[in-house]
Amino acid sequence: MSLAINIAGVKFENPIWAASGTFGTGEEFLDFVDLDKIGAVVTKTVTLEARVGNPAPRIVETASGMLNSIGLENKGIDHCVKETIPFLRKYRTKIVVSIAGNGLSDYTECARRLSGKNAPDMIEINLSCPNVTHKGAKHALFAQDGALTGEIVRAVKRETDIPSITKLTPNVTDITEIAIAAEKAGTDALALVNTYFGMAIDSGTGKPVLGRVTGGLSGPAIKPMALKAVYDVYKKVKVPIIGIGGIMTAECAVEFMLAGARAIQVGTANFVDPRSTMKILQGVEAHLGEKGIKDINELTGKAHG
Amino acid sequence: MRKKRVETAVVIENRAIAENIFRMKLKCPWIAARTRPGQFLGIKVNDAGTDPLLRIPLGIHRAENGYVYLLYKTVGLATGMLKAKEKGDDLDVMGPLGNGFSVGKALTMGSRAILVAGGYGVSPLYSLAETLMNNKVKVTIFIGARDKLGIVCDKELKKLGAAVQITTDDGSCGLRGCVTDAVSKYLRRQKSESRKGIKVFACGPEPMLKAVAGLADELGIPAEVSLDEYMACGVGACRGCAVKTVNGVKLACTDGPVFDARDVIWE
């Protein structure tokens, strides 16, 4: 039985990854997870300069999900290159560094600084964080604008040879248009979806709960919508898709692959059970055994008939 | 070496000790053996569905001989489900989490600790009192609540040998008034010479902690406060439980929940 997958020439031992922003650098999970075993760790998004993030409360639970408005708190790209990547290199997991910025030049500068001696295996271009604002931009998120998405992807591709994944937002009228724009611009893979815009109001105080008023919804509540996004995009693009959105169990992971995902990322589930990635990996392996599937790649897109 | 883990605990006892306040005794030897006063557990109360989804952070009341004790107030869906757990039930707990109170530092034989509790915030202060008294530190604890139904652990603390002062808003138990006013009066009564050996530890609602921090700062007395924040992961990964401090943004789950009161920037 083979669990290995290949994306843009990078060989991953398996398609079960930890999602950005839910796994820290991986170090936070050492007591629970064997970093030699999971396919990849996608780091908490880093920006050119360190950021302090949004005011508290940054987290609130909602029905079968949670809202967050962390606001890209991070120590900056140089810290990532100096500390995070060498730390993760001690393990067999592949390293995907998630980057974000205020504009195109931030993304290219991050990509440039990642392209030295301590380079990651892939870069995830996060164009879809719902909790930051970009001055002068027409849309709240870069990934709401196909042309801008294409521009940033192209610029990053010009800057570095490290293969890239473009992470999309579901907060659009048609996610397939943005996916196609990113593919045309040369992205090596697509990751979808980031969180859905949402908010919570406290009926007692009469005020919004989150410090920044709105946030991004994740968890089981968004799974059916995320699954559809993967299903729809799979029909329109050739590049590999990495499925994200409320994946809690091995069954969820398999469903995303059947919808068209080559790999999946486990996010909110890490908070519920820090061993989720390991459990999902074991469960997916058992599923393949039960179904007599020899190569996990056979699952991808099978729901399309 | 592993510092925390997910352990399947067994419920030994789960009963009301006051109005809406429950005490739970859990058998979880691995965590019990590694717990310091002021640390907490991440408890998955829902083992069947996804609502509630996240673990709830609950301060550890006591840990000894393989058992962990919790005090909790039923305030919503998750604590309601916790209340329904019965003797013999399994409970998925993660811990011990957080830093705990700094019992070793600045407290030597002959020094004094003033503990300030708001309602069931007395929970972690019980084991702190126990540890301090084992180190020959004299302990005075102020417990405040709205009324007598919210006062818990006072008898147990007296039994330990701590001096216990109770305040209630309606005067139904102890002194009438606010716990921080009682602490303020007490500390101001101390001669400046004897204030030097005092350290304050507080756990309770944020306005109370803020008042304690202000008081300690004014009188030049060191103080530690245990903060309660919205939390998701409990291990420092999600950066959800942000606390503004003079040293930048810190996390209640890993840098805290206990902070030096002087470091916290109160909203």
Side-chain angles (χ1 to χ4, degrees):
Chain A
M1 188 194 299
S2 170
L3 289 168
I5 58 156
N6 188 316
I7 294 177
V10 182
K11 214 183 154 227
F12 297 84
E13 276 188 35
N14 63 68
I16 311 302
W17 302 4
S20 179
T22 67
F23 209 68
T25 64
E27 194 168 1
E28 293 86 346
F29 283 79
L30 280 181
D31 282 333
F32 307 103
V33 170
D34 184 349
L35 292 180
D36 287 331
K37 296 247 168 77
I38 54 175
V41 171
V42 187
T43 66
K44 165 86 185 150
T45 297
V46 290
T47 50
L48 203 48
E49 308 289 344
R51 291 194 187 180
V52 296
N54 287 331
R58 295 173 169 187
I59 295 271
V60 62
E61 183 163 347
T62 56
S64 293
M66 59 175 279
L67 289 160
N68 87 78
S69 71
I70 309 299
L72 298 183
E73 183 192 344
N74 78 96
K75 291 180 179 160
I77 188 78
D78 292 338
H79 180 269
C80 174
V81 171
K82 230 177 105 197
E83 305 288 340
T84 308
I85 296 174
F87 161 75
L88 283 169
R89 272 288 169 246
K90 294 188 286 185
Y91 303 91
R92 288 173 64 181
T93 186
K94 287 285 183 280
I95 305 166
V96 181
V97 170
S98 170
I99 60 170
N102 289 324
L104 189 136
S105 63
D106 281 7
Y107 283 93
T108 52
E109 183 57 20
C110 279
R112 193 184 68 78
R113 293 195 200 179
L114 284 171
S115 305
K117 193 165 57 106
N118 292 337
D121 299 294
M122 290 190 90
I123 292 173
E124 187 171 270
I125 308 169
N126 180 4
L127 300 176
S128 47
C129 174
N131 300 317
V132 290
T133 41
H134 309 292
K135 274 184 204 141
K138 192 168 76 177
H139 298 278
L141 316 175
F142 295 129
Q144 286 175 322
D145 183 329
L148 198 50
T149 296
E151 240 178 81
I152 296 172
V153 169
R154 250 188 303 276
V156 170
K157 289 300 292 177
R158 267 199 304 270
E159 187 63 52
T160 181
D161 295 329
I162 303 167
S164 65
I165 303 163
T166 305
K167 187 164 178 181
L168 303 183
T169 179
N171 299 303
V172 286
T173 44
D174 184 358
I175 194 169
T176 66
E177 285 178 12
I178 314 291
I180 291 165
E183 183 179 48
K184 278 191 180 146
T187 194
D188 297 284
L190 294 164
L192 50 128
V193 296
N194 206 320
T195 54
Y196 287 77
F197 284 136
M199 75 180 294
I201 296 175
D202 185 326
S203 60
T205 64
K207 294 200 171 106
V209 178
L210 293 173
R212 196 178 176 268
V213 181
T214 66
L217 181 65
S218 65
I222 71 164
K223 195 190 104 180
M225 298 184 285
L227 196 60
K228 180 182 184 291
V230 170
Y231 189 86
D232 289 349
V233 169
Y234 181 76
K235 282 198 269 201
K236 301 280 181 73
V237 302
K238 297 237 158 31
V239 291
I241 297 165
I242 296 133
I244 322 164
I247 296 173
M248 306 298 288
T249 64
E251 289 73 29
C252 300
V254 168
E255 290 163 27
F256 271 83
M257 288 180 207
L258 294 170
R262 180 67 58 187
I264 62 96
Q265 294 179 12
V266 179
T268 300
N270 293 312
F271 304 156
V272 179
D273 187 335
R275 305 163 299 185
S276 288
T277 46
M278 308 298 291
K279 286 183 169 179
I280 290 170
L281 177 59
Q282 284 161 12
V284 167
E285 213 168 347
H287 176 88
L288 295 188
E290 278 163 32
K291 296 277 181 188
I293 298 166
K294 298 236 158 46
D295 182 347
I296 196 155
N297 290 285
E298 286 173 34
L299 285 179
T300 301
K302 240 183 162 182
H304 292 262
Chain B
M1 203 177 59
R2 252 189 189 190
K3 290 193 175 122
K4 52 190 176 291
R5 65 176 287 184
V6 176
E7 191 170 14
T8 304
V10 180
V11 177
I12 304 296
E13 188 184 80
N14 187 23
R15 64 180 184 89
I17 56 164
E19 197 182 33
N20 299 328
I21 300 176
F22 288 76
R23 188 175 68 187
M24 183 180 255
K25 180 181 181 182
L26 295 169
K27 188 174 183 187
C28 54
W30 195 93
I31 291 172
R34 289 161 180 80
T35 296
R36 297 189 307 275
Q39 289 188 296
F40 66 100
L41 295 179
I43 303 177
K44 191 166 177 286
V45 295
N46 186 355
D47 36 36
T50 56
D51 191 17
L53 179 68
L54 299 173
R55 285 171 188 272
I56 54 167
L58 268 188
I60 294 170
H61 175 43
R62 287 164 65 193
E64 60 184 28
N65 304 326
Y67 298 104
V68 166
Y69 298 79
L70 305 168
L71 283 191
Y72 63 96
K73 191 171 183 176
T74 48
V75 290
L77 194 58
T79 43
M81 286 176 86
L82 194 60
K83 179 180 123 180
K85 300 284 177 194
E86 290 175 0
K87 186 178 176 185
D89 284 352
D90 283 347
L91 190 65
D92 177 327
V93 298
M94 173 167 81
L97 304 176
N99 59 353
F101 295 104
S102 53
V103 282
K105 262 184 275 168
L107 281 167
T108 48
M109 209 167 104
S111 59
R112 287 191 300 158
I114 307 301
L115 278 44
V116 188
Y120 71 109
V122 71
S123 173
L125 297 178
Y126 178 87
S127 49
L128 174 66
E130 204 172 21
T131 306
L132 291 171
M133 292 175 75
N134 286 340
N135 293 341
K136 309 274 186 259
V137 176
K138 269 179 78 179
V139 173
T140 301
I141 182 160
F142 291 80
I143 310 173
R146 201 168 299 158
D147 53 41
K148 66 178 178 188
L149 299 173
I151 300 290
V152 290
C153 284
D154 49 323
K155 289 179 195 73
E156 291 86 343
L157 281 155
K158 272 181 198 151
K159 212 181 280 176
L160 269 183
V164 180
Q165 305 272 348
I166 294 168
T167 64
T168 49
D169 294 351
D170 66 354
S172 56
C173 183
L175 290 171
R176 187 194 190 104
C178 176
V179 69
T180 47
D181 291 339
V183 175
S184 171
K185 266 186 208 154
Y186 177 88
L187 289 175
R188 286 176 206 283
R189 259 205 324 265
Q190 310 299 312
K191 293 195 183 79
S192 62
E193 194 57 31
S194 65
R195 270 187 209 158
K196 277 181 191 153
I198 293 178
K199 182 160 181 179
V200 174
F201 299 88
C203 182
E206 190 165 309
M208 185 203 94
L209 299 179
K210 189 179 171 182
V212 169
L215 181 67
D217 190 45
E218 184 198 330
L219 301 177
I221 295 169
E224 289 187 8
V225 292
S226 178
L227 302 182
D228 191 13
E229 300 291 334
Y230 284 103
M231 221 173 255
C233 73
V235 296
C238 73
R239 311 209 67 82
C241 55
V243 176
K244 261 196 199 167
T245 77
V246 294
N247 307 310
V249 176
K250 299 285 175 187
L251 300 178
C253 69
T254 47
D255 301 309
V258 179
F259 290 88
D260 187 318
R262 283 168 299 193
D263 293 346
V264 178
I265 300 170
W266 304 91
E267 294 299 322

Short mmCIF file of all heavy atoms in Angstrom, two decimals, chain A residues 131-183:
data_model
loop_
_atom_site.label_atom_id
_atom_site.label_comp_id
_atom_site.label_asym_id
_atom_site.label_seq_id
_atom_site.Cartn_x
_atom_site.Cartn_y
_atom_site.Cartn_z
N ASN A 131 -8.69 38.20 8.47
CA ASN A 131 -8.60 39.05 9.66
C ASN A 131 -7.59 40.20 9.57
O ASN A 131 -7.13 40.72 10.58
CB ASN A 131 -8.28 38.19 10.88
CG ASN A 131 -9.36 37.16 11.11
OD1 ASN A 131 -10.54 37.48 11.01
ND2 ASN A 131 -8.97 35.94 11.37
N VAL A 132 -7.23 40.57 8.34
CA VAL A 132 -6.34 41.71 8.17
C VAL A 132 -6.89 42.58 7.04
O VAL A 132 -7.68 42.12 6.22
CB VAL A 132 -4.89 41.27 7.82
CG1 VAL A 132 -4.24 40.61 9.01
CG2 VAL A 132 -4.86 40.34 6.62
N THR A 133 -6.51 43.84 7.02
CA THR A 133 -6.97 44.72 5.94
C THR A 133 -5.77 45.18 5.12
O THR A 133 -4.66 45.30 5.63
CB THR A 133 -7.70 45.96 6.49
OG1 THR A 133 -6.98 46.42 7.64
CG2 THR A 133 -9.11 45.63 6.90
N HIS A 134 -6.00 45.40 3.86
CA HIS A 134 -4.95 45.88 2.97
C HIS A 134 -5.35 47.25 2.47
O HIS A 134 -6.39 47.40 1.84
CB HIS A 134 -4.77 44.91 1.80
CG HIS A 134 -4.60 43.49 2.23
ND1 HIS A 134 -3.50 43.05 2.90
CD2 HIS A 134 -5.42 42.43 2.10
CE1 HIS A 134 -3.65 41.76 3.17
NE2 HIS A 134 -4.80 41.36 2.70
N LYS A 135 -4.51 48.23 2.78
CA LYS A 135 -4.84 49.62 2.41
C LYS A 135 -4.97 49.79 0.90
O LYS A 135 -4.14 49.33 0.14
CB LYS A 135 -3.75 50.56 2.94
CG LYS A 135 -4.03 50.99 4.38
CD LYS A 135 -2.99 52.01 4.84
CE LYS A 135 -2.90 51.97 6.35
NZ LYS A 135 -1.55 52.11 6.83
N GLY A 136 -6.04 50.45 0.50
CA GLY A 136 -6.20 50.80 -0.91
C GLY A 136 -6.65 49.68 -1.81
O GLY A 136 -6.88 49.88 -2.99
N ALA A 137 -6.79 48.47 -1.28
CA ALA A 137 -7.20 47.35 -2.12
C ALA A 137 -8.69 47.42 -2.38
O ALA A 137 -9.46 47.87 -1.55
CB ALA A 137 -6.83 46.03 -1.45
N LYS A 138 -9.10 46.95 -3.58
CA LYS A 138 -10.50 46.99 -3.96
C LYS A 138 -11.30 45.99 -3.11
O LYS A 138 -12.42 46.24 -2.70
CB LYS A 138 -10.62 46.66 -5.45
CG LYS A 138 -11.97 46.96 -6.05
CD LYS A 138 -11.94 46.87 -7.56
CE LYS A 138 -11.92 45.44 -8.03
NZ LYS A 138 -11.94 45.23 -9.47
N HIS A 139 -10.69 44.84 -2.85
CA HIS A 139 -11.36 43.79 -2.08
C HIS A 139 -10.68 43.62 -0.73
O HIS A 139 -9.52 43.98 -0.55
CB HIS A 139 -11.29 42.47 -2.85
CG HIS A 139 -11.98 42.52 -4.17
ND1 HIS A 139 -13.34 42.37 -4.31
CD2 HIS A 139 -11.50 42.72 -5.42
CE1 HIS A 139 -13.66 42.47 -5.59
NE2 HIS A 139 -12.57 42.70 -6.29
N ALA A 140 -11.41 43.04 0.20
CA ALA A 140 -10.85 42.80 1.53
C ALA A 140 -9.69 41.80 1.46
O ALA A 140 -8.70 41.92 2.19
CB ALA A 140 -11.93 42.29 2.47
N LEU A 141 -9.80 40.82 0.58
CA LEU A 141 -8.78 39.78 0.48
C LEU A 141 -8.23 39.72 -0.95
O LEU A 141 -8.97 39.87 -1.92
CB LEU A 141 -9.39 38.41 0.80
CG LEU A 141 -10.33 38.31 2.02
CD1 LEU A 141 -10.91 36.91 2.11
CD2 LEU A 141 -9.57 38.65 3.28
N PHE A 142 -6.93 39.45 -1.06
CA PHE A 142 -6.33 39.34 -2.39
C PHE A 142 -7.01 38.26 -3.22
O PHE A 142 -7.23 38.40 -4.42
CB PHE A 142 -4.83 39.04 -2.28
CG PHE A 142 -4.06 40.15 -1.62
CD1 PHE A 142 -3.20 39.90 -0.56
CD2 PHE A 142 -4.17 41.46 -2.08
CE1 PHE A 142 -2.48 40.92 0.05
CE2 PHE A 142 -3.45 42.49 -1.48
CZ PHE A 142 -2.61 42.23 -0.42
N ALA A 143 -7.34 37.16 -2.54
CA ALA A 143 -7.93 36.03 -3.25
C ALA A 143 -9.40 36.24 -3.63
O ALA A 143 -10.07 35.33 -4.09
CB ALA A 143 -7.78 34.75 -2.44
N GLN A 144 -9.91 37.47 -3.43
CA GLN A 144 -11.24 37.79 -3.94
C GLN A 144 -11.14 38.43 -5.32
O GLN A 144 -12.14 38.75 -5.95
CB GLN A 144 -11.97 38.74 -2.97
CG GLN A 144 -12.44 38.02 -1.72
CD GLN A 144 -13.05 38.97 -0.70
OE1 GLN A 144 -12.57 40.08 -0.53
NE2 GLN A 144 -14.08 38.51 -0.03
N ASP A 145 -9.90 38.63 -5.77
CA ASP A 145 -9.65 39.32 -7.02
C ASP A 145 -8.75 38.42 -7.89
O ASP A 145 -7.58 38.22 -7.58
CB ASP A 145 -8.95 40.66 -6.69
CG ASP A 145 -8.69 41.51 -7.92
OD1 ASP A 145 -8.48 40.93 -9.01
OD2 ASP A 145 -8.66 42.74 -7.78
N GLY A 146 -9.34 37.88 -8.95
CA GLY A 146 -8.60 36.93 -9.81
C GLY A 146 -7.34 37.54 -10.40
O GLY A 146 -6.27 36.92 -10.42
N ALA A 147 -7.44 38.79 -10.86
CA ALA A 147 -6.30 39.43 -11.51
C ALA A 147 -5.16 39.64 -10.50
O ALA A 147 -3.99 39.35 -10.80
CB ALA A 147 -6.72 40.78 -12.09
N LEU A 148 -5.52 40.09 -9.31
CA LEU A 148 -4.52 40.35 -8.27
C LEU A 148 -3.90 39.02 -7.79
O LEU A 148 -2.68 38.93 -7.58
CB LEU A 148 -5.20 41.08 -7.10
CG LEU A 148 -4.31 41.81 -6.11
CD1 LEU A 148 -3.31 42.71 -6.81
CD2 LEU A 148 -5.19 42.64 -5.16
N THR A 149 -4.73 38.01 -7.68
CA THR A 149 -4.24 36.68 -7.31
C THR A 149 -3.19 36.23 -8.32
O THR A 149 -2.08 35.80 -7.95
CB THR A 149 -5.41 35.66 -7.28
OG1 THR A 149 -6.32 36.05 -6.26
CG2 THR A 149 -4.91 34.25 -7.01
N GLY A 150 -3.52 36.37 -9.59
CA GLY A 150 -2.59 35.99 -10.66
C GLY A 150 -1.29 36.76 -10.59
O GLY A 150 -0.20 36.19 -10.72
N GLU A 151 -1.41 38.06 -10.35
CA GLU A 151 -0.22 38.92 -10.28
C GLU A 151 0.73 38.48 -9.18
O GLU A 151 1.94 38.39 -9.39
CB GLU A 151 -0.69 40.35 -9.94
CG GLU A 151 -0.35 41.40 -10.97
CD GLU A 151 -0.92 42.75 -10.51
OE1 GLU A 151 -0.28 43.40 -9.68
OE2 GLU A 151 -2.02 43.10 -10.98
N ILE A 152 0.17 38.22 -7.99
CA ILE A 152 1.02 37.83 -6.85
C ILE A 152 1.65 36.47 -7.10
O ILE A 152 2.84 36.27 -6.85
CB ILE A 152 0.21 37.87 -5.53
CG1 ILE A 152 -0.23 39.30 -5.22
CG2 ILE A 152 1.04 37.32 -4.36
CD1 ILE A 152 -1.19 39.46 -4.05
N VAL A 153 0.86 35.54 -7.62
CA VAL A 153 1.39 34.20 -7.89
C VAL A 153 2.53 34.28 -8.92
O VAL A 153 3.60 33.70 -8.72
CB VAL A 153 0.27 33.25 -8.40
CG1 VAL A 153 0.86 31.95 -8.93
CG2 VAL A 153 -0.74 32.98 -7.29
N ARG A 154 2.32 35.04 -9.96
CA ARG A 154 3.35 35.19 -11.00
C ARG A 154 4.63 35.79 -10.41
O ARG A 154 5.73 35.32 -10.68
CB ARG A 154 2.85 36.09 -12.14
CG ARG A 154 2.59 35.33 -13.44
CD ARG A 154 2.28 36.27 -14.61
NE ARG A 154 1.14 37.15 -14.34
CZ ARG A 154 -0.14 36.78 -14.53
NH1 ARG A 154 -0.43 35.59 -15.02
NH2 ARG A 154 -1.11 37.59 -14.25
N ALA A 155 4.44 36.81 -9.59
CA ALA A 155 5.61 37.49 -9.01
C ALA A 155 6.39 36.55 -8.09
O ALA A 155 7.63 36.53 -8.12
CB ALA A 155 5.14 38.73 -8.24
N VAL A 156 5.68 35.77 -7.31
CA VAL A 156 6.36 34.82 -6.42
C VAL A 156 7.08 33.76 -7.24
O VAL A 156 8.22 33.39 -6.96
CB VAL A 156 5.36 34.16 -5.42
CG1 VAL A 156 6.01 33.01 -4.67
CG2 VAL A 156 4.84 35.20 -4.43
N LYS A 157 6.42 33.29 -8.30
CA LYS A 157 7.04 32.28 -9.17
C LYS A 157 8.31 32.81 -9.82
O LYS A 157 9.28 32.08 -10.01
CB LYS A 157 6.05 31.83 -10.26
CG LYS A 157 4.89 30.99 -9.78
CD LYS A 157 5.31 29.69 -9.12
CE LYS A 157 5.95 28.70 -10.10
NZ LYS A 157 6.40 27.47 -9.36
N ARG A 158 8.31 34.10 -10.20
CA ARG A 158 9.50 34.71 -10.80
C ARG A 158 10.63 34.80 -9.78
O ARG A 158 11.81 34.68 -10.12
CB ARG A 158 9.17 36.12 -11.30
CG ARG A 158 8.77 36.18 -12.76
CD ARG A 158 8.91 37.60 -13.32
NE ARG A 158 8.15 38.59 -12.54
CZ ARG A 158 6.88 38.93 -12.81
NH1 ARG A 158 6.24 38.37 -13.82
NH2 ARG A 158 6.25 39.82 -12.08
N GLU A 159 10.26 35.01 -8.53
CA GLU A 159 11.24 35.27 -7.49
C GLU A 159 11.97 34.02 -7.01
O GLU A 159 13.12 34.07 -6.59
CB GLU A 159 10.53 35.94 -6.29
CG GLU A 159 11.45 36.43 -5.19
CD GLU A 159 12.40 37.52 -5.66
OE1 GLU A 159 11.92 38.50 -6.24
OE2 GLU A 159 13.61 37.37 -5.43
N THR A 160 11.26 32.89 -7.03
CA THR A 160 11.83 31.69 -6.41
C THR A 160 11.56 30.42 -7.21
O THR A 160 10.57 30.36 -7.95
CB THR A 160 11.28 31.50 -4.97
OG1 THR A 160 11.88 30.34 -4.39
CG2 THR A 160 9.77 31.35 -4.96
N ASP A 161 12.43 29.44 -7.03
CA ASP A 161 12.23 28.13 -7.66
C ASP A 161 11.47 27.18 -6.74
O ASP A 161 11.12 26.08 -7.13
CB ASP A 161 13.58 27.49 -8.01
CG ASP A 161 14.30 28.30 -9.08
OD1 ASP A 161 13.60 28.90 -9.91
OD2 ASP A 161 15.55 28.32 -9.06
N ILE A 162 11.24 27.62 -5.49
CA ILE A 162 10.50 26.76 -4.56
C ILE A 162 9.06 26.66 -5.05
O ILE A 162 8.42 27.68 -5.31
CB ILE A 162 10.52 27.37 -3.13
CG1 ILE A 162 11.95 27.58 -2.66
CG2 ILE A 162 9.76 26.47 -2.15
CD1 ILE A 162 12.05 28.46 -1.41
N PRO A 163 8.55 25.44 -5.22
CA PRO A 163 7.17 25.32 -5.70
C PRO A 163 6.16 25.93 -4.74
O PRO A 163 6.39 25.96 -3.53
CB PRO A 163 6.95 23.80 -5.82
CG PRO A 163 8.17 23.14 -5.34
CD PRO A 163 9.20 24.16 -4.97
N SER A 164 5.08 26.45 -5.29
CA SER A 164 4.14 27.18 -4.46
C SER A 164 2.72 26.64 -4.51
O SER A 164 2.28 26.07 -5.51
CB SER A 164 4.12 28.65 -4.87
OG SER A 164 3.62 28.76 -6.18
N ILE A 165 2.05 26.81 -3.39
CA ILE A 165 0.63 26.47 -3.26
C ILE A 165 -0.09 27.80 -3.05
O ILE A 165 0.37 28.63 -2.26
CB ILE A 165 0.40 25.60 -2.00
CG1 ILE A 165 1.26 24.33 -2.05
CG2 ILE A 165 -1.07 25.28 -1.81
CD1 ILE A 165 1.40 23.64 -0.69
N THR A 166 -1.19 28.03 -3.72
CA THR A 166 -1.95 29.26 -3.49
C THR A 166 -3.18 28.93 -2.65
O THR A 166 -3.97 28.06 -3.01
CB THR A 166 -2.38 29.89 -4.84
OG1 THR A 166 -1.20 30.08 -5.64
CG2 THR A 166 -3.06 31.23 -4.62
N LYS A 167 -3.30 29.61 -1.52
CA LYS A 167 -4.43 29.33 -0.62
C LYS A 167 -5.56 30.31 -0.84
O LYS A 167 -5.38 31.52 -0.72
CB LYS A 167 -3.98 29.34 0.85
CG LYS A 167 -5.09 28.88 1.80
CD LYS A 167 -4.56 28.53 3.16
CE LYS A 167 -5.67 28.12 4.12
NZ LYS A 167 -5.16 27.80 5.46
N LEU A 168 -6.72 29.77 -1.17
CA LEU A 168 -7.86 30.59 -1.60
C LEU A 168 -8.90 30.76 -0.51
O LEU A 168 -9.03 29.96 0.40
CB LEU A 168 -8.51 29.92 -2.81
CG LEU A 168 -7.61 29.67 -4.03
CD1 LEU A 168 -8.44 29.07 -5.16
CD2 LEU A 168 -6.93 30.96 -4.49
N THR A 169 -9.66 31.84 -0.69
CA THR A 169 -10.78 32.10 0.22
C THR A 169 -12.08 31.57 -0.40
O THR A 169 -12.26 31.63 -1.62
CB THR A 169 -10.94 33.61 0.51
OG1 THR A 169 -12.06 33.79 1.37
CG2 THR A 169 -11.19 34.42 -0.77
N PRO A 170 -12.98 31.10 0.44
CA PRO A 170 -14.29 30.70 -0.08
C PRO A 170 -15.26 31.88 -0.15
O PRO A 170 -16.37 31.73 -0.65
CB PRO A 170 -14.76 29.68 0.97
CG PRO A 170 -14.16 30.18 2.25
CD PRO A 170 -12.84 30.80 1.88
N ASN A 171 -14.82 33.05 0.34
CA ASN A 171 -15.70 34.22 0.39
C ASN A 171 -15.73 34.94 -0.96
O ASN A 171 -15.32 36.09 -1.07
CB ASN A 171 -15.24 35.16 1.50
CG ASN A 171 -15.29 34.49 2.86
OD1 ASN A 171 -16.33 34.01 3.30
ND2 ASN A 171 -14.15 34.44 3.53
N VAL A 172 -16.18 34.23 -1.98
CA VAL A 172 -16.25 34.78 -3.34
C VAL A 172 -17.51 34.24 -4.01
O VAL A 172 -18.09 33.26 -3.54
CB VAL A 172 -15.02 34.36 -4.19
CG1 VAL A 172 -13.78 35.11 -3.77
CG2 VAL A 172 -14.78 32.85 -4.10
N THR A 173 -17.89 34.88 -5.11
CA THR A 173 -19.08 34.38 -5.81
C THR A 173 -18.76 33.07 -6.53
O THR A 173 -19.59 32.17 -6.58
CB THR A 173 -19.60 35.41 -6.83
OG1 THR A 173 -18.49 35.94 -7.54
CG2 THR A 173 -20.35 36.53 -6.14
N ASP A 174 -17.55 32.95 -7.11
CA ASP A 174 -17.20 31.71 -7.80
C ASP A 174 -15.71 31.41 -7.58
O ASP A 174 -14.84 32.02 -8.20
CB ASP A 174 -17.50 31.85 -9.29
CG ASP A 174 -17.23 30.55 -10.05
OD1 ASP A 174 -16.78 29.56 -9.41
OD2 ASP A 174 -17.48 30.52 -11.27
N ILE A 175 -15.45 30.46 -6.72
CA ILE A 175 -14.06 30.16 -6.37
C ILE A 175 -13.30 29.56 -7.55
O ILE A 175 -12.08 29.70 -7.64
CB ILE A 175 -13.99 29.24 -5.12
CG1 ILE A 175 -12.56 29.22 -4.54
CG2 ILE A 175 -14.49 27.83 -5.43
CD1 ILE A 175 -12.44 28.56 -3.19
N THR A 176 -14.02 28.96 -8.48
CA THR A 176 -13.32 28.33 -9.61
C THR A 176 -12.62 29.39 -10.49
O THR A 176 -11.57 29.14 -11.05
CB THR A 176 -14.26 27.47 -10.49
OG1 THR A 176 -15.21 28.31 -11.13
CG2 THR A 176 -14.96 26.42 -9.66
N GLU A 177 -13.22 30.59 -10.56
CA GLU A 177 -12.58 31.66 -11.36
C GLU A 177 -11.23 32.04 -10.78
O GLU A 177 -10.26 32.26 -11.51
CB GLU A 177 -13.49 32.91 -11.37
CG GLU A 177 -14.69 32.78 -12.26
CD GLU A 177 -15.58 34.02 -12.19
OE1 GLU A 177 -15.14 35.06 -11.62
OE2 GLU A 177 -16.71 33.95 -12.70
N ILE A 178 -11.17 32.14 -9.46
CA ILE A 178 -9.92 32.52 -8.81
C ILE A 178 -8.91 31.38 -8.95
O ILE A 178 -7.72 31.60 -9.18
CB ILE A 178 -10.15 32.84 -7.30
CG1 ILE A 178 -11.38 33.73 -7.10
CG2 ILE A 178 -8.89 33.44 -6.69
CD1 ILE A 178 -11.28 35.15 -7.60
N ALA A 179 -9.42 30.15 -8.83
CA ALA A 179 -8.55 28.98 -8.96
C ALA A 179 -7.92 28.95 -10.35
O ALA A 179 -6.70 28.70 -10.49
CB ALA A 179 -9.35 27.71 -8.71
N ILE A 180 -8.73 29.21 -11.35
CA ILE A 180 -8.22 29.21 -12.74
C ILE A 180 -7.18 30.32 -12.92
O ILE A 180 -6.14 30.12 -13.55
CB ILE A 180 -9.39 29.36 -13.74
CG1 ILE A 180 -10.24 28.07 -13.73
CG2 ILE A 180 -8.89 29.65 -15.14
CD1 ILE A 180 -11.61 28.22 -14.39
N ALA A 181 -7.45 31.49 -12.33
CA ALA A 181 -6.51 32.61 -12.44
C ALA A 181 -5.16 32.24 -11.81
O ALA A 181 -4.10 32.54 -12.38
CB ALA A 181 -7.08 33.85 -11.76
N ALA A 182 -5.21 31.56 -10.66
CA ALA A 182 -3.97 31.16 -9.99
C ALA A 182 -3.24 30.10 -10.81
O ALA A 182 -2.01 30.12 -10.93
CB ALA A 182 -4.29 30.62 -8.60
N GLU A 183 -3.99 29.19 -11.41
CA GLU A 183 -3.38 28.15 -12.24
C GLU A 183 -2.71 28.76 -13.48
O GLU A 183 -1.57 28.43 -13.80
CB GLU A 183 -4.42 27.11 -12.67
CG GLU A 183 -3.80 25.96 -13.47
CD GLU A 183 -4.82 24.92 -13.89
OE1 GLU A 183 -5.89 25.30 -14.41
OE2 GLU A 183 -4.56 23.72 -13.69
#
